[in-house]
Amino acid sequence: MLRFLIGCVAALMLAAPAAAADGFPSRPIVMLVAVAPGGTLDTLARQIASGLTTELGQSVVVENTTGAGGLIGYQRLMKSEPDGYTLMFSNMSLAIIPLLYPTAHVDPVRDLSPIGMVATVPMVLSVSNRSGLTSLPEMLKRMRSGGPKLNFGSGGPGTTAHLGEGLFLHISKTQGELIQYRGSGPAIADLMAGTIDAVIDQTVTMLPLHKDKRIRAIAVSSPQRLPQLPDVPTFAEGGLPAFDLAIWNGVVAPRNTPKPVVDRIAAALSKVLDSPQYKSRIDQLAAIIPDAAQRGPAPMSAMLAKDVKEVASLAKQIGLTPQQ
């Protein structure tokens, strides 16, 4: 009898995750974005949420949960039930959060169930029209002249824009004033208004604004000029070949999310990446969609673990300091 009961319990334990996936999803899904609306993360998240809504047959609703360079959104995800109904859209900034907030004791490798990457995006250095700058060499000359410091806006401590701007100042051996916002959207709004001089962010947000002449893009981190931005030189052309930062973006769930649920979302996500609508939109924004070998939980887990180590080294080089 005891063996029979043990066998029944074991069978139920094995069946539970599969049963959860069979009925998943049965209600709307929340996708957290840890920055304000209007930036790259928010733009890509809404593209993915729309596609997943179609593929999963339930609404996927983006909720912006801002503060502390992504830590507030991260902590909200950690407090949610690991059932697939609360996800987060993020990027390699996940690897920066533990360095900036060591007392929060977060570990993205331990805490998260990666679902899959959706795009890798080059970085673009853009300046305000009011700045009068027209090229990277001209900017570097001004920054090295000993005059007033140029100010750079970023999406806040720990964001990829913050990392990119710190890396830019380190590589160029220049100084600038870093102004932190609650997301790239507000920073770019001030860039268009001429309130700040420059922003380094992904092509997703910068490309349309450059084409509309609301800002001026002066350098891109791709190896060659982008077909979508043929008039914008690379950082290498401008004299900074070491600045080659590109940002991956993807979807994660809390740890202990059942594997069948993760696999269900990952399969739907892959279909979104293959859809003509997503391919067309991502190509317009000069982003790169992961191929089959780069999709799913395992490749994203490997990338996250790699970046946690590499970003820690980079943070020390460029002088990123803890925020608490």
Side-chain angles (χ1 to χ4, degrees):
M1 177 62 73
L2 181 59
R3 286 184 180 179
F4 176 75
L5 289 174
I6 293 173
C8 288
V9 170
L12 287 171
M13 290 177 66
L14 290 171
D22 286 343
F24 180 88
S26 60
R27 54 186 168 88
I29 296 169
V30 171
M31 182 177 287
L32 303 176
V33 177
V35 294
T40 297
L41 267 183
D42 183 71
T43 300
L44 285 175
R46 292 178 191 279
Q47 290 280 329
I48 292 298
S50 176
L52 285 177
T53 294
T54 300
E55 294 298 333
L56 293 172
Q58 287 285 346
S59 296
V60 179
V61 181
V62 172
E63 290 190 9
N64 299 87
T65 305
T66 66
L71 178 62
I72 302 302
Y74 187 107
Q75 291 175 324
R76 180 179 167 188
L77 182 71
M78 291 303 94
K79 293 174 182 176
S80 66
E81 288 293 324
D83 54 11
Y85 288 99
T86 304
L87 309 174
M88 175 177 274
F89 191 92
S90 193
N91 56 27
M92 66 182 294
S93 63
L94 288 170
I96 308 173
I97 293 175
L99 305 174
L100 291 183
Y101 302 98
T103 61
H105 304 296
V106 299
D107 178 350
V109 174
R110 177 199 66 204
D111 297 338
L112 303 175
S113 294
I115 291 173
M117 295 180 286
V118 305
T120 300
V121 191
M123 298 291 272
V124 179
L125 169 59
S126 296
V127 295
S128 71
N129 293 324
R130 186 177 294 180
S131 73
L133 295 167
T134 60
S135 70
L136 176 56
E138 183 184 354
M139 171 184 258
L140 294 175
K141 183 178 179 179
R142 185 185 295 187
M143 295 177 74
R144 291 165 177 162
S145 69
K149 290 182 181 179
L150 295 180
N151 50 53
F152 292 75
S154 84
T159 60
T160 54
H162 182 204
L163 178 67
E165 288 163 3
L167 180 62
F168 171 75
L169 296 177
H170 174 73
I171 291 173
S172 64
K173 296 181 172 58
T174 58
Q175 293 185 334
E177 183 178 357
L178 300 184
I179 300 174
Q180 309 294 352
Y181 292 78
R182 294 174 72 88
S184 292
I188 293 170
D190 272 3
L191 183 70
M192 289 188 287
T195 306
I196 56 175
D197 299 309
V199 168
I200 297 179
D201 201 26
Q202 300 174 55
T203 56
V204 171
T205 47
M206 293 301 196
L207 190 154
L209 298 177
H210 173 76
K211 287 188 173 182
D212 289 345
K213 302 187 184 304
R214 287 185 279 176
I215 59 172
R216 182 190 295 272
I218 60 173
V220 62
S221 66
S222 52
Q224 296 86 31
R225 292 196 186 197
L226 297 171
Q228 300 88 342
L229 286 171
D231 60 327
V232 180
T234 65
F235 276 92
E237 289 179 90
L240 289 180
F243 192 93
D244 57 0
L245 185 64
I247 308 299
W248 58 260
N249 298 263
V251 181
V252 297
R255 67 179 175 184
N256 297 327
T257 300
K259 184 177 183 302
V261 171
V262 169
D263 291 344
R264 171 84 172 93
I265 303 171
L269 184 61
S270 187
K271 289 183 179 179
V272 174
L273 303 189
D274 287 333
S275 68
Q277 297 92 335
Y278 185 75
K279 285 183 175 180
S280 174
R281 183 58 178 152
I282 290 301
D283 181 66
Q284 291 171 9
L285 299 173
I288 301 170
I289 297 173
D291 60 28
Q294 297 172 311
R295 297 184 188 182
M300 188 176 183
S301 295
M303 181 65 76
L304 185 57
K306 170 176 168 288
D307 276 355
V308 165
K309 294 179 180 178
E310 291 186 354
V311 169
S313 174
L314 178 59
K316 291 179 182 177
Q317 292 179 44
I318 66 178
L320 288 183
T321 56
Q323 301 294 302
Q324 63 177 30

